[in-house]
Amino acid sequence: MLSREKNELLTRTGPGTPMGTLLRRYWLPAALSLELPEPDGAPVRVRLLGEQLVAFRDSSGRIGLLREFCAHRGASLFFGRNEECGLRCIYHGWKYDASGNCVDMMNEPADLDFQSKIRLSAYPTMELGGLVWTYLGPPEQQPPLPRFAWALVPESHRHVYKTWQECNWLQALEGGIDTSHANILHRRLHPTDARHGIVPSATFVRAGAPRLEVYPHEYGYLYAGVRSLDDEQVYVRTYHYVMPFTQIRPGPLDMVKPHNAGHIWIPMDDENCMVYHWTYSMGAEPLSEEDRLEPGSGREPSEHLPDFRKVRNKDNNYLIDRQAQKTELFSGIVGINNQDNAVQESMGPIVDRTQEHLGPADKAIIIARQMLLDAVDTARAGGDPPGVHGDYEQLHAIVGAYPRDGSWQAAAGGTHQPLAAQV
Amino acid sequence: MLSREKNELLTRTGPGTPMGTLLRRYWLPAALSLELPEPDGAPVRVRLLGEQLVAFRDSSGRIGLLREFCAHRGASLFFGRNEECGLRCIYHGWKYDASGNCVDMMNEPADLDFQSKIRLSAYPTMELGGLVWTYLGPPEQQPPLPRFAWALVPESHRHVYKTWQECNWLQALEGGIDTSHANILHRRLHPTDARHGIVPSATFVRAGAPRLEVYPHEYGYLYAGVRSLDDEQVYVRTYHYVMPFTQIRPGPLDMVKPHNAGHIWIPMDDENCMVYHWTYSMGAEPLSEEDRLEPGSGREPSEHLPDFRKVRNKDNNYLIDRQAQKTELFSGIVGINNQDNAVQESMGPIVDRTQEHLGPADKAIIIARQMLLDAVDTARAGGDPPGVHGDYEQLHAIVGAYPRDGSWQAAAGGTHQPLAAQV
Amino acid sequence: MLSREKNELLTRTGPGTPMGTLLRRYWLPAALSLELPEPDGAPVRVRLLGEQLVAFRDSSGRIGLLREFCAHRGASLFFGRNEECGLRCIYHGWKYDASGNCVDMMNEPADLDFQSKIRLSAYPTMELGGLVWTYLGPPEQQPPLPRFAWALVPESHRHVYKTWQECNWLQALEGGIDTSHANILHRRLHPTDARHGIVPSATFVRAGAPRLEVYPHEYGYLYAGVRSLDDEQVYVRTYHYVMPFTQIRPGPLDMVKPHNAGHIWIPMDDENCMVYHWTYSMGAEPLSEEDRLEPGSGREPSEHLPDFRKVRNKDNNYLIDRQAQKTELFSGIVGINNQDNAVQESMGPIVDRTQEHLGPADKAIIIARQMLLDAVDTARAGGDPPGVHGDYEQLHAIVGAYPRDGSWQAAAGGTHQPLAAQV
């Protein structure tokens, strides 16, 4: 449970808000590279932390990210002409380069040199790992681009995509770092279950419930779910929570080939977020075309609308099938991503955390909130929040059976003392 | 005319409001029984007095009415699994029985016994007369379920349905207890009328206008419209207004067989209400299939959308036909219920009663408002508002010709002194 | 740039606002005459300066403009019966004449004479030039109907229509009186341009940029764009800005036959305005059918929805064609009116003028704002704002080549000292 004040503090990200100030200290994904496939192509609207922006790839391939509205009289540059290394407003022909400098005005005499006085808000951009990244914070505090292994492998080994989720960023993130729902919400029902359509005794699930361990690091934490298999072995599944909005986890293919996946949850505004997700091959073998389609994930191309919203969404109750819910799918909703979105969005645009009741299984969420609150304080005091200078290339998640001798900790990349959460 | 303050007081029904507090002292229809046709079937969302709830029929047939959002982290229980005497959240498998007790948690170890500490807001339910009733008030003040004749006859003799009306409950109720519009708004035009397309002289209607009498009772009032037929006879039509939101009136079939009908107006929130309507045979003969279709009522199945909204609605101007308005229908709108909804919804979500001009024909409305205001005061002072303990089984409405000897009063169930209304 | 306070002052027009008070001193177009084609036809809803009204043409042809909601209990008179010189509410049959007098009540006895006490807000109307005009101000200050040449010619010589624009009236007006966008936004690209798909050097446009002159008059101002052709001649294009919301400009046909056009921008509410546009033949020859279709204008019948909204609108990004934008149309949007609406509406419902950067080319806008602010002060002080008593029959706009001897000033109708604008 959170107080109303803390819930507001964690969920509001517009300019000037404490959480907005914290998030602006990090590089943020603004778009997929594939949304801007060619020089001088169509610009795209970008909503980021409550700001309305427009992105374009200029003639040289450089990506500009500008305030959406022309400095002259406020017409949208989404309609702009992307030409000769700049985005030109169709209203009076004011043209901006990718740095926001006004480089031409068609409606004023050239000798006036009015244009040299005009600058449009622009944010720096970098492309890496199939994403366009940007930094919305104070220039003097701009850190280097974060290094993630998935972003550094060849394109052949990586798949990235994104989903528009219609709720606050924090409840989407909390859904991602919460592992305890995985074998409940995403569970398939089988004809061999004792009673068709009725979930087998919860005892079955509980018996299998793992011991949850959280190991704090400078960047966030390592999370492990550890199950006893026998006297010799434990079954371990780990992920990393990288402050403030990233998760690195085992991918669906991890059991058959070395492979990791993850999410980045970015506020569009306080009632919408964009969830970037990626998967990559950690071995020599590239991803296959089928890997990229992510079958069963609910992220297949047929599940998305052109604006990255979902075909199954809150307006159609995610096309829940009550008959399937009895006999095939615990949730009745097709697609893992749709299942996650359904429960997270069903809480409302910003869930009222004064009404919640957290238990031990919510440890990861409790600790992440506390880390975010601490980081807000650090940023307020002018310090560097956790992970802004981090190199994450070595971070990886593991899943599998390990001997009870400490070797999973070594494989997971080392641990420290586990952290207790105050429920 | 009402002051702004009184208009607010009468129309706001959320938790903590004076009118909301009054209405929570009565049993309220929450759904049709047919919306929950079978044990372990799909749950339904219920909006009631501004509260978001979910109803389900459990394995034993008992109906639960819970706060819509799981006590754990707030996912909607509308998506829940209705199984083994409880509704289970699909997110982490928390399961609630119909009383709101948390009876299972799939994500926490059983030995923790966390679940015994969890309760979800739940309201008592009863089924009677084809409706699911609930009580949202203080448990220690819970009255018995009201007894209405229509609810006590065999199912074969009764028809119930409901319509989602897109305006405040009070202007819908006022439309129902106002009889003076009936032969105006609902009038059909005939080729024998003096001039096609022009309503015959209003004098015709006025000449037939009845004398309106209101007889107060403990439960509300008996309303009578009395027309002189000749020196011997009067033509009488009565209804009962039963506090705070019920009307018992002659049904459309009353002239040919003994039969009554009525409405119950229930706030969903302050800008929407659900209107339950029922009709029943008071004699030995059951209702026919045709009776149940309510031909001409505007409540035929083809006039409703699956969520009980109307096919003809404010977004399409109720499909008003201006040619028909000239020659066939006074309103130009097909269906009595649609005609009522059109005028009532056209006033806006909550009509501004500081702008109205009431006349003698609005007597019933004026008195009902005063009774509601008085009842708000009674409830505020901790007393029992009118009718909470009432037995209405004997209440019935009459229509027809009666000798001028007091026999209509006897047939109507007895009267007292009529009540004057301050316009 | 404007302060937030001045932006609010200029854009808010509801009852009681300073700008609303100013605008209520003038006659306003309320509808096209063709919307009320016949006596006793269907009424139409009219939204004007934030007020909800209903217009109807009575049996005698007179047009009534009433508050939309019946004085009795507030039902919408849009559903009313238009019959026998009055609009009758379908709820209880209260009937109003075009002056707002209640002339009949079907639900009350005639001898009560309640109706004589009831009056509904009504505004005076006049028909002229294919428009229905109304006056919403204090009756004692009602001026005569303005006389415009276009409104006084025979119907055969005039075309009028209107477009619902989804933004504040002022940014629509500012788009109209701003001439500098015309050969930018509305420009066609040609295959002979140096590089396909890239606009030719802006220098081309700039070289042709006219000298802008603004000559103040009692009614507003005469605006002239003057280009040097050679030592002998200048090319001149003028328009008149007539306070507070009218423009008279050369029409698209002016170069081939004597012909003027213009706009009137009327607030519906603060986020929508209705733009009336007209064109008329100043010579003997009437308009042809093709003239009336306004080919290429974006105002062709196929570009409008029945409620005068646009087929190409903000919800579909005006169907912008990015390929056409490269090689055919500077804007990528088909239709001059659609181009204007796209940029103006893209600024948002009410553009934030604290963020703008005006230059010399925005002179006309700067002066118009100042005139409006001055007029607000005049009206506040009880005086007559500019132009309320104006006779505009002689006002016309010119376009063409003139000798450098002052003859264009004579042709334009006389000028005074030009006005400097403070940017």
Side-chain angles (χ1 to χ4, degrees):
Chain A
M1 199 188 108
L2 283 183
S3 66
R4 184 167 308 279
E5 293 67 34
K6 283 190 178 164
N7 199 30
E8 284 291 295
L9 193 151
L10 286 167
T11 56
R12 302 291 175 185
T13 67
T17 60
M19 181 55 71
T21 301
L22 173 64
L23 296 181
R24 281 169 175 79
R25 295 292 302 277
Y26 298 86
W27 283 87
L28 313 166
L32 298 172
S33 286
L34 63 80
E35 293 179 75
L36 297 165
E38 57 181 9
D40 295 337
V44 299
R45 289 189 184 96
V46 171
R47 212 170 352 146
L48 209 55
L49 280 59
E51 301 187 33
Q52 286 178 275
L53 308 172
V54 63
F56 67 105
R57 187 184 296 275
D58 76 9
S59 313
S60 72
R62 186 181 166 206
I63 290 176
L65 184 64
L66 308 177
R67 178 171 174 268
E68 184 185 341
F69 305 103
C70 181
H72 180 211
R73 299 229 309 268
S76 173
L77 293 169
F78 169 77
F79 296 105
R81 301 176 58 81
N82 186 4
E83 59 185 22
E84 290 188 324
C85 282
L87 188 62
R88 188 186 289 281
C89 181
I90 60 171
Y91 202 175
H92 298 90
W94 289 26
K95 179 173 163 181
Y96 303 91
D97 68 14
S99 302
N101 301 306
C102 184
V103 295
D104 194 28
M105 282 181 178
M106 290 172 73
N107 70 327
E108 297 286 0
D111 54 9
L112 178 70
D113 197 29
F114 181 30
Q115 73 196 43
S116 70
K117 300 177 192 133
I118 302 298
R119 241 195 124 265
L120 194 66
S121 297
Y123 294 115
T125 65
M126 303 270 275
E127 278 188 282
L128 187 69
L131 298 189
V132 179
W133 300 77
T134 189
Y135 173 77
L136 270 56
E140 67 279 9
Q141 293 180 310
Q142 181 177 322
L145 200 62
R147 291 172 60 83
F148 286 102
W150 65 268
L152 299 170
V153 297
E155 209 177 316
S156 57
H157 286 57
R158 175 180 59 239
H159 173 68
V160 289
Y161 209 65
K162 71 179 189 181
T163 299
W164 179 332
Q165 194 165 334
E166 298 180 87
C167 67
N168 183 266
W169 77 289
L170 187 63
Q171 73 210 55
L173 181 148
E174 290 180 351
I177 61 179
D178 160 43
T179 58
S180 79
H181 76 270
N183 68 348
I184 302 169
L185 176 65
H186 303 313
R187 157 181 220 129
R188 299 193 69 84
L189 305 178
H190 296 289
T192 52
D193 286 349
R195 289 178 54 194
H196 270 214
I198 301 294
V199 70
S201 167
T203 317
F204 167 80
V205 179
R206 282 172 157 172
R211 189 176 73 249
L212 308 182
E213 300 180 5
V214 177
Y215 298 90
H217 284 263
E218 194 274 334
Y219 61 80
Y221 61 68
L222 166 66
Y223 174 99
V226 184
R227 275 189 179 85
S228 281
L229 289 181
D230 54 35
D231 287 353
E232 305 290 311
Q233 286 195 305
V234 289
Y235 182 88
V236 179
R237 188 181 170 92
T238 71
Y239 75 73
H240 297 276
Y241 168 56
V242 181
M243 283 279 290
F245 42 54
T246 301
Q247 182 190 41
I248 300 169
R249 58 158 78 177
L253 304 171
D254 258 286
M255 296 300 288
V256 289
K257 46 185 174 180
H259 170 269
N260 262 195
H263 292 94
I264 308 176
W265 291 273
I266 301 295
M268 299 169 70
D269 54 32
D270 294 344
E271 303 196 346
N272 294 274
C273 64
M274 196 63 86
V275 186
Y276 291 85
H277 50 88
W278 43 267
T279 186
Y280 78 109
S281 166
M282 300 161 84
E285 203 184 338
L287 294 184
S288 68
E289 276 317 296
E290 205 198 328
D291 292 346
R292 291 173 189 279
L293 292 176
E294 303 185 82
S297 68
R299 288 194 287 260
E300 300 89 330
S302 62
E303 296 286 342
H304 279 93
L305 299 170
D307 62 0
F308 303 101
R309 288 182 204 245
K310 296 166 295 286
V311 170
R312 297 166 205 265
N313 56 50
K314 65 187 170 63
D315 294 330
N316 58 27
N317 287 327
Y318 308 89
L319 303 176
I320 189 170
D321 178 336
R322 296 291 185 180
Q323 189 52 40
Q325 191 179 35
K326 283 187 184 288
T327 57
E328 293 170 48
L329 291 166
F330 189 82
S331 66
I333 296 167
V334 169
I336 287 172
N337 193 50
N338 294 321
Q339 292 157 5
D340 282 324
N341 279 247
V343 292
Q344 293 161 20
E345 295 175 350
S346 80
M347 299 169 179
I350 303 181
V351 68
D352 179 1
R353 290 182 177 79
T354 67
Q355 300 295 313
E356 70 187 4
H357 293 83
L358 301 186
D362 299 300
K363 194 181 195 176
I365 289 170
I366 294 163
I367 294 172
R369 288 180 189 172
Q370 192 54 53
M371 285 185 165
L372 287 167
L373 290 168
D374 291 346
V376 164
D377 287 342
T378 301
R380 265 178 171 164
D384 280 350
V388 285
H389 294 295
D391 183 335
Y392 308 117
E393 195 173 349
Q394 301 310 316
L395 285 191
H396 64 277
I398 62 168
V399 59
Y402 288 86
R404 289 180 179 275
D405 59 1
S407 49
W408 80 257
Q409 286 90 338
T415 56
H416 306 275
Q417 279 299 92
L419 201 68
Q422 187 71 37
V423 180
Chain B
M1 198 188 109
L2 283 184
S3 66
R4 184 167 309 279
E5 292 67 34
K6 282 189 179 166
N7 199 28
E8 285 290 297
L9 194 151
L10 285 167
T11 56
R12 303 292 175 182
T13 65
T17 60
M19 182 54 72
T21 301
L22 173 65
L23 295 181
R24 282 171 174 77
R25 295 292 301 277
Y26 297 87
W27 282 86
L28 313 165
L32 299 171
S33 285
L34 63 78
E35 293 178 75
L36 297 165
E38 56 180 10
D40 295 337
V44 298
R45 289 189 184 97
V46 172
R47 215 174 345 150
L48 209 55
L49 280 58
E51 302 188 34
Q52 287 178 274
L53 308 172
V54 63
F56 66 105
R57 187 184 297 274
D58 77 9
S59 314
S60 72
R62 186 181 167 206
I63 290 176
L65 184 65
L66 308 177
R67 177 171 174 267
E68 184 185 341
F69 304 103
C70 181
H72 178 211
R73 299 229 310 268
S76 172
L77 293 169
F78 168 77
F79 295 105
R81 300 177 58 82
N82 186 3
E83 59 186 23
E84 290 188 323
C85 282
L87 188 62
R88 188 186 289 279
C89 181
I90 58 172
Y91 203 176
H92 298 89
W94 290 25
K95 181 173 163 181
Y96 303 92
D97 68 16
S99 303
N101 301 305
C102 184
V103 295
D104 194 29
M105 282 180 178
M106 289 171 76
N107 71 327
E108 298 285 0
D111 54 9
L112 178 69
D113 196 30
F114 181 29
Q115 73 196 44
S116 71
K117 300 176 191 133
I118 302 297
R119 239 195 125 265
L120 194 64
S121 297
Y123 294 115
T125 64
M126 303 271 274
E127 278 188 283
L128 185 69
L131 298 189
V132 179
W133 300 78
T134 189
Y135 173 78
L136 271 56
E140 68 278 10
Q141 294 180 310
Q142 181 178 321
L145 200 61
R147 292 172 59 83
F148 287 102
W150 64 268
L152 299 170
V153 297
E155 208 177 317
S156 56
H157 286 56
R158 175 180 58 237
H159 172 68
V160 289
Y161 209 64
K162 70 180 190 180
T163 299
W164 178 333
Q165 193 165 335
E166 298 180 85
C167 67
N168 183 267
W169 78 289
L170 186 65
Q171 73 209 56
L173 181 148
E174 290 180 351
I177 61 178
D178 161 44
T179 58
S180 79
H181 75 271
N183 68 347
I184 302 169
L185 175 66
H186 303 312
R187 153 182 223 129
R188 301 192 68 84
L189 305 178
H190 296 290
T192 53
D193 285 348
R195 291 178 54 196
H196 269 214
I198 301 294
V199 72
S201 166
T203 317
F204 168 80
V205 179
R206 282 173 158 170
R211 190 177 72 251
L212 308 182
E213 300 179 4
V214 176
Y215 298 90
H217 285 263
E218 194 273 334
Y219 61 81
Y221 60 69
L222 166 67
Y223 174 98
V226 183
R227 276 187 180 85
S228 279
L229 288 181
D230 53 33
D231 287 353
E232 306 289 311
Q233 285 196 306
V234 289
Y235 181 89
V236 180
R237 187 180 171 93
T238 70
Y239 74 74
H240 297 276
Y241 168 56
V242 181
M243 283 278 290
F245 42 55
T246 300
Q247 183 190 38
I248 300 168
R249 57 158 79 176
L253 305 171
D254 259 286
M255 297 298 289
V256 290
K257 45 185 173 180
H259 171 267
N260 262 196
H263 292 94
I264 309 176
W265 291 272
I266 300 296
M268 298 168 70
D269 52 34
D270 294 344
E271 304 196 346
N272 294 275
C273 64
M274 197 62 86
V275 187
Y276 291 84
H277 49 90
W278 43 268
T279 186
Y280 78 109
S281 166
M282 298 161 83
E285 202 184 336
L287 294 184
S288 68
E289 274 319 295
E290 206 197 329
D291 292 344
R292 292 174 189 279
L293 292 177
E294 301 184 83
S297 67
R299 289 195 286 259
E300 301 88 331
S302 63
E303 297 287 341
H304 278 92
L305 299 171
D307 62 1
F308 302 100
R309 288 182 205 245
K310 297 166 294 286
V311 170
R312 299 166 204 265
N313 56 50
K314 65 187 169 64
D315 295 330
N316 57 27
N317 287 326
Y318 308 89
L319 302 176
I320 188 169
D321 178 336
R322 296 290 185 180
Q323 190 51 41
Q325 190 178 36
K326 283 186 184 288
T327 57
E328 293 171 47
L329 291 166
F330 189 83
S331 66
I333 295 167
V334 169
I336 287 172
N337 193 50
N338 294 320
Q339 292 158 6
D340 282 323
N341 278 248
V343 292
Q344 293 161 20
E345 294 176 350
S346 82
M347 300 170 177
I350 304 181
V351 68
D352 179 1
R353 290 182 177 80
T354 67
Q355 299 295 312
E356 69 186 4
H357 294 84
L358 301 186
D362 299 300
K363 193 182 196 175
I365 290 170
I366 294 163
I367 295 172
R369 289 180 190 173
Q370 193 54 53
M371 286 186 165
L372 286 167
L373 290 169
D374 291 345
V376 164
D377 286 341
T378 301
R380 265 178 171 164
D384 279 349
V388 286
H389 295 295
D391 183 333
Y392 307 117
E393 195 174 351
Q394 301 310 317
L395 285 191
H396 62 280
I398 62 167
V399 60
Y402 288 86
R404 288 181 180 275
D405 60 359
S407 51
W408 79 258
Q409 287 89 337
T415 57
H416 306 275
Q417 278 299 92
L419 200 69
Q422 186 72 36
V423 178
Chain C
M1 197 188 110
L2 284 183
S3 67
R4 183 167 309 281
E5 292 68 32
K6 283 189 178 164
N7 199 31
E8 285 291 295
L9 192 150
L10 286 166
T11 55
R12 302 290 174 185
T13 65
T17 60
M19 180 55 71
T21 302
L22 174 64
L23 295 181
R24 281 170 175 78
R25 294 292 301 276
Y26 298 88
W27 283 88
L28 313 166
L32 299 172
S33 285
L34 64 79
E35 293 178 74
L36 297 165
E38 57 180 11
D40 295 337
V44 299
R45 288 190 184 96
V46 172
R47 213 171 351 148
L48 210 55
L49 280 59
E51 300 188 33
Q52 287 179 273
L53 308 172
V54 64
F56 67 105
R57 188 184 295 276
D58 77 8
S59 314
S60 72
R62 186 181 167 207
I63 290 176
L65 183 64
L66 308 177
R67 177 169 175 270
E68 183 184 341
F69 305 102
C70 181
H72 179 210
R73 298 230 310 268
S76 173
L77 293 169
F78 168 77
F79 296 105
R81 299 177 59 82
N82 186 3
E83 61 185 20
E84 290 188 325
C85 281
L87 187 62
R88 189 187 288 280
C89 181
I90 58 172
Y91 202 175
H92 299 89
W94 289 24
K95 180 173 162 182
Y96 303 92
D97 69 16
S99 302
N101 301 305
C102 185
V103 294
D104 194 29
M105 282 179 179
M106 291 171 73
N107 70 326
E108 298 285 1
D111 54 10
L112 177 70
D113 196 30
F114 181 29
Q115 74 196 43
S116 71
K117 300 177 190 131
I118 302 297
R119 239 194 125 267
L120 194 64
S121 297
Y123 294 115
T125 64
M126 301 271 275
E127 278 189 283
L128 187 68
L131 298 189
V132 180
W133 300 78
T134 189
Y135 174 77
L136 271 55
E140 67 279 9
Q141 294 180 311
Q142 181 177 323
L145 201 61
R147 291 173 58 84
F148 287 102
W150 64 268
L152 299 170
V153 297
E155 209 178 316
S156 57
H157 286 55
R158 175 181 57 239
H159 173 68
V160 290
Y161 210 65
K162 70 179 190 181
T163 299
W164 179 333
Q165 193 166 334
E166 298 179 87
C167 67
N168 183 266
W169 77 289
L170 187 64
Q171 72 209 56
L173 181 147
E174 290 180 351
I177 62 178
D178 161 42
T179 60
S180 80
H181 76 271
N183 68 348
I184 302 169
L185 176 65
H186 303 313
R187 156 181 223 129
R188 300 193 69 83
L189 305 178
H190 296 291
T192 53
D193 286 348
R195 290 176 56 193
H196 270 215
I198 301 295
V199 71
S201 166
T203 317
F204 168 79
V205 178
R206 282 172 159 171
R211 192 177 70 250
L212 307 182
E213 299 180 5
V214 176
Y215 298 90
H217 285 264
E218 195 271 336
Y219 62 82
Y221 60 71
L222 166 66
Y223 174 98
V226 183
R227 276 188 179 84
S228 281
L229 288 181
D230 54 33
D231 287 352
E232 304 290 312
Q233 286 195 304
V234 288
Y235 182 88
V236 180
R237 187 181 172 92
T238 70
Y239 74 74
H240 297 277
Y241 168 56
V242 181
M243 284 278 290
F245 42 54
T246 301
Q247 182 190 38
I248 300 169
R249 57 158 78 176
L253 303 171
D254 258 286
M255 298 298 289
V256 291
K257 47 185 174 181
H259 170 268
N260 262 196
H263 292 94
I264 309 176
W265 290 273
I266 300 296
M268 298 168 70
D269 54 33
D270 295 343
E271 304 197 345
N272 294 273
C273 65
M274 197 62 86
V275 187
Y276 291 85
H277 50 90
W278 43 267
T279 187
Y280 78 110
S281 167
M282 299 161 82
E285 201 183 338
L287 293 184
S288 68
E289 276 317 295
E290 205 197 329
D291 293 346
R292 292 173 190 278
L293 291 177
E294 302 185 83
S297 68
R299 288 195 286 260
E300 301 89 329
S302 62
E303 297 286 342
H304 278 93
L305 299 171
D307 62 0
F308 302 100
R309 290 181 203 245
K310 298 166 294 285
V311 170
R312 298 166 205 265
N313 57 48
K314 64 186 170 66
D315 294 330
N316 58 27
N317 287 326
Y318 308 89
L319 302 176
I320 190 170
D321 178 336
R322 296 291 183 179
Q323 190 52 41
Q325 190 179 34
K326 282 185 183 289
T327 57
E328 294 171 46
L329 291 166
F330 188 84
S331 66
I333 297 167
V334 170
I336 288 171
N337 193 50
N338 294 321
Q339 293 158 6
D340 282 324
N341 278 247
V343 292
Q344 293 160 20
E345 294 174 349
S346 81
M347 300 168 177
I350 304 181
V351 67
D352 179 1
R353 290 182 177 80
T354 68
Q355 299 294 312
E356 71 187 3
H357 294 83
L358 301 186
D362 299 301
K363 196 180 194 176
I365 289 170
I366 294 163
I367 294 171
R369 289 180 190 172
Q370 193 53 53
M371 287 186 164
L372 287 167
L373 290 168
D374 290 346
V376 164
D377 286 342
T378 302
R380 264 180 173 163
D384 279 349
V388 285
H389 295 294
D391 183 335
Y392 308 117
E393 194 173 351
Q394 302 309 317
L395 284 191
H396 62 280
I398 62 167
V399 61
Y402 288 85
R404 287 181 180 277
D405 60 359
S407 50
W408 80 257
Q409 287 89 339
T415 56
H416 306 273
Q417 278 300 92
L419 201 68
Q422 187 72 36
V423 178

